[in-house]
Amino acid sequence: MKRSLFIYLVGLLIVSQGINAQHEHPKSEHYMAPKDDKVVAKLEEWQDLKFGIIIHWGLYAVPGIIESWSICSEDWIERDSTISYNDYKEWYFGLKDKFNPVKFNPQQWAEASKAAGMKYLVFTTKHHDGFCLWDTKQTDYSIAHSPFGSNEKSDALKYVLDAYRNQGFMVGTYFSKPDWYSEYYWWPKYATPNRNNNYDANKYPWRWNQFKQYTYNQIQELMTGYGDVDLLWLDGGWVRPLETVNDEVRAWGAPIPSWSQDIDMPSIAKMARKNQPGLLIVDRTVGGLYENYQTPEQSIPEQALDHPWESCITLGGAWGYVPTDSYKSTSQVIRTLVEVVAKGGSLLLGVGPTPEGEFTPEQIESLKKIGKWMDKNGEAIYATRALSVCQSNNVFFTQSKDNKTCYAIACYDENSELEKTITWTGNVPKKGSAMKLISNGKRLKYKVEGETVTVSLPSDMNELPLGKALAFKYKK
Ligand code: GLC
């Protein structure tokens, strides 16, 4: 009892220290556009959605600690020094027998996500700890073999994807390529000093091949047993062919093995797309044909990117459920979304359900508030494209896909007061164009001096709306 409390506190410590850059994926340097027509079409469709949810749910929700990473032995990870590493791993892996989400309510998740204005889902089918949220036939390390196994919804993935598809979402499966439970990745014969597989794959090709087959079979289950899937989001960018290891990968600071962690993406992708035509594959940071869009993490690129991209950012401080976590304000989320979209990307916001299987009232409230702003101002976000000038101070710009309408969105901090005029430089309206406040459709007075536009707000408007952002629309 005492011991698990301590472990729990250690986990919180890791989270409260914030996300460590060593386990954050940067944006990849190179982008290769897909060639398959169906993939190209889906990518275009996905680029219209702009706002999605990534749900991290797994064993780590039980003690409420950082997702998976506490069982990795790299030196940036804090752990109680009086507990041996092996005892810690044993305790963590044993959480399988405590995972019992009796209130599992994916419909509640999907409704709350829809209320936020989100349009696509990425769900952790398996994180680095190897625990599977579907009834996989490849291992017993899954929800189907947890205390929840006797529940009619124990094949959780099916219910999650159904709930989201019912709300009209595009759905995606997050899948961790590294698997720290699999004996083919972390061979129990040896110590597990870091995130990589802990044996030389050149010396033990049989074992690595087992791992490849295991990975292939699991992805095949996901692509064949759970209806239409739009996206396969592959995490753990260090699992990659040796020849793709570049300076960018070295800059993560994690140890790089001398062998290749090649899982044969071409054959996985071929199988996956045979079953799910047009499937988007996001082999994060690896580049090439199977990274259909780029995924900077917990950050927004300085400049607009030329290629399809998405920032994944947590609503709180952690990806999974941490009881003491505090959530970003509505205005922070709106500003992040607006900036990402103005720079041509999409925002994938991370929310972690409780170990019982629900979103908390606080998470739901937070999503609802975001949705209130999106409900009124979504026109400036969905199905827009970036402009060459995407920002002027706190004003961000987007445009309709036909390039005819321009949107300017002024974002403020939580404590800002309304100013009576809003000024920006660049993206001036076409001569004679009306300027409208999107939230109520009212026409506003404005003037243009050179490249500077000044909009006057109506005199009866006294405060900034929830979300602290005002969106304007005009012809360009
Ligand atoms: C990073 C983290 C991983 C998390 C992912 C989500 O890769 O290491 O734990 O699941 O980001 O984007």
Side-chain angles (χ1 to χ4, degrees):
M1 180 64 201
K2 233 169 127 195
R3 183 166 161 254
S4 44
L5 179 71
F6 202 82
I7 292 174
Y8 167 77
L9 292 173
V10 169
L12 287 185
L13 185 72
I14 297 176
V15 168
S16 61
Q17 286 184 336
I19 309 288
N20 187 296
Q22 284 193 26
H23 75 289
E24 279 172 14
H25 287 63
K27 174 191 84 61
S28 47
E29 284 295 311
H30 304 286
Y31 180 75
M32 191 184 273
K35 297 185 173 59
D36 175 330
D37 288 347
K38 291 202 174 93
V39 177
V40 173
K42 192 172 296 258
L43 192 56
E44 184 69 19
E45 201 189 324
W46 171 82
Q47 282 183 278
D48 288 349
L49 307 183
K50 304 294 181 199
F51 192 23
I53 185 162
I54 180 165
I55 296 182
H56 278 67
W57 196 48
L59 298 182
Y60 39 85
V62 177
I65 58 176
I66 188 174
E67 73 292 346
S68 301
W69 281 98
S70 65
I71 55 171
C72 179
S73 188
E74 292 174 16
D75 64 2
W76 57 272
I77 297 163
E78 292 297 332
R79 210 180 302 104
D80 171 17
S81 58
T82 66
I83 299 172
S84 80
Y85 177 46
N86 282 342
D87 283 351
Y88 185 86
K89 277 200 287 188
E90 202 186 311
W91 168 79
Y92 184 98
F93 285 131
L95 291 171
K96 178 188 101 152
D97 300 322
K98 300 214 168 68
F99 191 72
N100 193 13
V102 287
K103 296 184 184 158
F104 177 48
N105 192 353
Q107 198 174 323
Q108 180 221 34
W109 311 352
E111 282 167 7
S113 311
K114 182 164 188 188
M118 291 159 157
K119 304 273 187 198
Y120 70 102
L121 161 80
V122 176
F123 176 67
T124 50
T125 60
K126 176 179 91 170
H127 205 263
H128 312 334
D129 63 17
F131 182 73
C132 301
L133 274 300
W134 81 100
D135 184 8
T136 175
K137 302 296 172 242
Q138 313 305 318
T139 175
D140 284 351
Y141 204 58
S142 77
I143 189 167
H145 295 266
S146 74
F148 196 61
S150 51
N151 191 290
E152 54 167 5
K153 291 188 181 156
S154 69
D155 197 359
L157 176 63
K158 174 177 179 334
Y159 298 92
V160 174
L161 297 188
D162 279 351
Y164 276 88
R165 280 188 294 244
N166 286 342
Q167 298 291 345
F169 278 53
M170 260 199 191
V171 298
T173 47
Y174 166 113
F175 181 88
S176 167
K177 294 182 292 178
D179 185 319
W180 295 334
Y181 187 81
S182 166
E183 60 183 311
Y184 305 130
Y185 196 77
W186 273 7
W187 187 1
K189 180 179 172 189
Y190 293 120
T192 56
N194 58 49
R195 68 186 68 187
N196 298 303
N197 72 306
N198 66 340
Y199 59 91
D200 184 336
N202 294 327
K203 208 161 151 192
Y204 301 104
W206 176 85
R207 191 162 291 270
W208 184 256
N209 278 329
Q210 292 296 110
F211 183 64
K212 267 160 72 171
Q213 193 61 51
Y214 177 74
T215 305
Y216 182 98
N217 292 350
Q218 286 207 320
I219 296 179
Q220 186 170 45
E221 288 179 352
L222 298 177
M223 297 297 115
T224 54
Y226 296 87
D228 291 344
V229 176
D230 303 289
L231 247 159
L232 175 61
W233 208 90
L234 298 172
D235 200 20
W238 61 92
V239 174
R240 62 200 294 151
L242 191 57
E243 62 273 18
T244 68
V245 173
N246 49 24
D247 284 346
E248 193 188 312
V249 178
R250 284 183 274 271
W252 285 355
I256 299 192
S258 59
W259 55 87
S260 191
Q261 295 190 57
D262 187 353
I263 54 167
D264 192 3
M265 272 309 294
S267 78
I268 290 177
K270 193 168 165 210
M271 169 276 292
R273 288 199 171 127
K274 191 171 140 233
N275 293 297
Q276 302 287 348
L279 177 77
L280 299 181
I281 302 181
V282 186
D283 193 10
R284 304 185 69 196
T285 74
V286 179
L289 272 181
Y290 312 112
E291 191 185 17
N292 299 148
Y293 63 73
Q294 296 171 306
T295 60
E297 180 173 332
Q298 297 288 25
S299 64
I300 307 174
E302 284 292 311
Q303 309 289 335
L305 304 182
D306 293 339
H307 308 300
W309 66 278
E310 161 200 276
S311 271
C312 48
I313 297 181
T314 46
L315 176 59
W319 291 106
Y321 172 72
V322 172
T324 53
D325 210 353
S326 51
Y327 300 108
K328 296 185 174 84
S329 64
T330 314
S331 59
Q332 261 176 300
V333 175
I334 297 297
R335 186 193 156 114
T336 304
L337 174 66
V338 167
E339 183 171 349
V340 163
V341 172
K343 291 177 175 174
S346 297
L347 175 64
L348 187 62
L349 192 67
V351 181
T354 66
E356 288 79 34
E358 294 179 307
F359 278 3
T360 64
E362 202 187 344
Q363 290 168 334
I364 292 187
E365 186 55 27
S366 172
L367 294 172
K368 200 194 250 169
K369 286 190 194 154
I370 297 166
K372 279 203 172 138
W373 190 88
M374 289 296 278
D375 243 10
K376 294 218 155 86
N377 300 285
E379 185 188 337
I381 301 289
Y382 302 121
T384 59
R385 291 295 179 265
L387 279 150
S388 53
V389 174
C390 63
Q391 177 176 5
S392 164
N393 296 320
N394 67 327
V395 180
F396 296 91
F397 305 97
T398 61
Q399 63 175 329
S400 58
K401 278 209 277 186
D402 63 10
N403 300 343
K404 290 194 176 127
T405 306
C406 196
Y407 301 101
I409 310 158
C411 297
Y412 298 89
D413 295 339
E414 201 56 40
N415 300 321
S416 302
E417 302 284 323
L418 181 79
E419 288 158 7
K420 285 293 176 191
T421 57
I422 289 172
T423 304
W424 67 78
T425 309
N427 294 320
V428 296
K430 186 170 155 185
K431 224 174 165 45
S433 162
M435 172 73 63
K436 286 183 180 165
L437 191 62
I438 298 187
S439 56
N440 62 12
K442 284 202 177 134
R443 265 183 94 139
L444 302 173
K445 291 198 176 117
Y446 70 97
K447 61 176 190 214
V448 178
E449 285 159 316
E451 281 294 294
T452 302
V453 182
T454 305
V455 181
S456 305
L457 293 175
S459 53
D460 60 353
M461 191 175 172
N462 297 315
E463 57 181 21
L464 284 163
L466 183 71
K468 310 281 176 187
L470 296 167
F472 308 95
K473 160 183 179 175
Y474 54 93
K475 295 283 164 223
K476 61 177 277 234

